[in-house]
Amino acid sequence: MKAMTNNLTIRKGPRIREIHITPIATVDPPLLNAAGLHAPYALRTVVELVTDDGISGISEIPGTLAIDRSLEAAKSLLIGLDPFDLNRISDTLVAHFGTDSAAERGLTPWDQRTLVHIFSAVEVACLDIMGKIVNRPVVDLLGGKRREAVPFSAYLFYKYEGAGGQLGFGTDPHATGWDAARQASALTPAEIVAQAQAMCAAFGFQSLKLKGGVFDPRQEVDAVLALHEAFGPQVPIRIDPNALWTVETAIHYGKEMEGIIEYLEDPVRGQEDMAVVRRALRTPLATNMCTTSFADLPSSIRTVSEDIILSDHHFWGGLRASMTLADLCRTFGRDLSMHSNSHLGISLAAMVHLGAAIPNLRYALDTHYPWQSDEIIVGGRLRFEDGQVAVPTGPGLGVGLDRDALARLHQNYLACGLTKRDDEIEMQKVQPGWKFQATRW
Ligand code: GKR
Ligand code: MG
């Protein structure tokens, strides 16, 4: 049905006709963090919406059985809605699921809320559809491209030997020499330096992030000092103990690393303690743990708990919400960068579109992508050049679904028996009795 307005033809909006939810398991190495150890597979969920005129939009979110079930429950609410009408989609989901509670976020470094995940999945797929309909990349729907390529940093992990998976693992054809380092153990400062050198050689990263919260802070700070020594002062470094340090520990080691790190990420838990540490240091503080939703912003502004918010469109409710966050950051003098968890190319493409659109990008984004070896997009793994990913130029997200690869990783999901991420259980397989502690040192 068409209506004429000022000689312009307004087309009746398409409708969502089908929703496909596919849980997948992607090979993930034994990486260590504050919550324990990564399982041999990381779970993701791929969502595909198809309109009544056959246009498909895709997205990828962290996977859990509970979120997959909520997505299944959302299906009947979303079928028949217009993918352009994101306000109605959002209102419908809020009316059904209610808003997320702060308690639901959990104590882990990753976010466990339901609504934000579901809305992110649906919103990104709708933006992919919109882009395909108007024949423009998603970045244009976010207001336009502010940069041609988006910089990422080398995400370094303490790890045990192995590459993950139980049935073998793939190779990234664009990352020469990385395979051996991806499998090597990294427990000492020298091994972390070797990991950083291999990752930077393979992907061209120009800044470094060390995932901490694993060993005594002395050992982790020594690794930072070794990185600084090996790479020189021109390479920015950050460390992220995922809130496991006490205020005293954070101030002590924060002072020691002053002038060496570009920011200190989540040294302590909660906005109040972050604010105390921030006041004691000249180094900026960043967070993906204490300010993680719009509801946290008033107290973030009041306490001045961080300088940099590490957004994540999967947790902030999508790409448009992340653009709103970018505006608020500009208004209140925060910088914005990006957090990551284990992910594949659909998430990476969405992060790149967002990263290209946000105004205030001073810090290279996080990505776990080098640690993954699988891919589910047509053409295989996305390429990093000089540590950057070029903004995809095709309509929508600019990446298509490789259905054979998707089916393969879905089989992995069925075979591996995992239903949610639980790093504590994985760690207990290696160190019986190991327990997560919200504050450790
Ligand atoms: O994958 O082990 C990990 C990380 O610790 C991740 O879960 C965190 O959410 O990357 C994250 C962070 O920056 O806190
Ligand atoms: Mg973090």
Side-chain angles (χ1 to χ4, degrees), residues 187-201:
L187 301 169
T188 63
E191 287 169 334
I192 287 292
V193 169
Q195 184 187 94
Q197 285 164 336
M199 199 188 261
C200 290

Side-chain angles (χ1 to χ4, degrees), residues 31-34 38 109-110 155 157 209 211 240 242 265-266 288-289 310 315 339-342 366 368 421 423:
L31 306 179
L32 289 151
N33 70 29
H38 283 215
W110 59 94
Y155 202 143
F157 273 90
K209 160 165 173 167
K211 169 58 55 181
D240 175 12
N242 278 127
E265 182 174 333
D266 286 312
N288 62 276
M289 295 185 76
L310 303 171
F315 303 151
H339 160 266
S340 146
N341 272 311
S342 310
D366 284 359
H368 283 53
R421 179 174 173 183
D423 291 18

Side-chain angles (χ1 to χ4, degrees), residues 85-247:
D85 196 353
L86 290 171
N87 292 337
R88 171 131 184 240
I89 289 175
S90 164
D91 293 348
T92 304
L93 292 173
V94 171
H96 183 78
F97 292 103
T99 45
D100 289 315
S101 73
E104 240 191 299
R105 193 217 165 275
L107 291 177
T108 53
W110 59 94
D111 200 310
Q112 309 186 44
R113 289 170 295 178
T114 306
L115 183 69
V116 283
H117 281 91
I118 293 181
F119 188 65
S120 157
V122 175
E123 189 238 30
V124 171
C126 285
L127 286 167
D128 192 25
I129 290 173
M130 287 183 224
K132 286 174 180 160
I133 290 177
V134 300
N135 199 21
R136 305 295 291 246
V138 163
V139 65
D140 287 358
L141 306 179
L142 301 177
K145 209 194 281 181
R146 287 188 155 110
R147 49 197 72 79
E148 295 297 324
V150 174
F152 289 87
S153 65
Y155 202 143
L156 311 173
F157 273 90
Y158 288 107
K159 72 179 288 285
Y160 296 134
E161 190 171 353
Q166 283 138 347
L167 312 165
F169 46 85
T171 284
D172 187 333
H174 308 306
T176 318
W178 171 233
D179 262 0
R182 187 156 52 85
Q183 291 169 63
S185 89
L187 301 169
T188 63
E191 287 169 334
I192 287 292
V193 169
Q195 184 187 94
Q197 285 164 336
M199 199 188 261
C200 290
F203 296 90
F205 295 122
Q206 318 213 340
S207 62
L208 310 170
K209 160 165 173 167
L210 176 62
K211 169 58 55 181
V214 175
F215 296 119
D216 184 279
R218 179 69 266 156
Q219 184 174 339
E220 298 190 350
V221 172
D222 283 346
V224 169
L225 300 179
L227 288 167
H228 181 68
E229 175 76 22
F231 282 81
Q234 72 288 355
V235 174
I237 306 178
R238 349 66 208 235
I239 176 169
D240 175 12
N242 278 127
L244 251 62
W245 292 356
T246 63
V247 167

Side-chain angles (χ1 to χ4, degrees), residues 334-349:
R334 298 283 188 282
D335 274 298
L336 184 72
S337 189
M338 235 180 262
H339 160 266
S340 146
N341 272 311
S342 310
H343 66 92
L344 295 178
I346 304 175
S347 280
L348 183 59

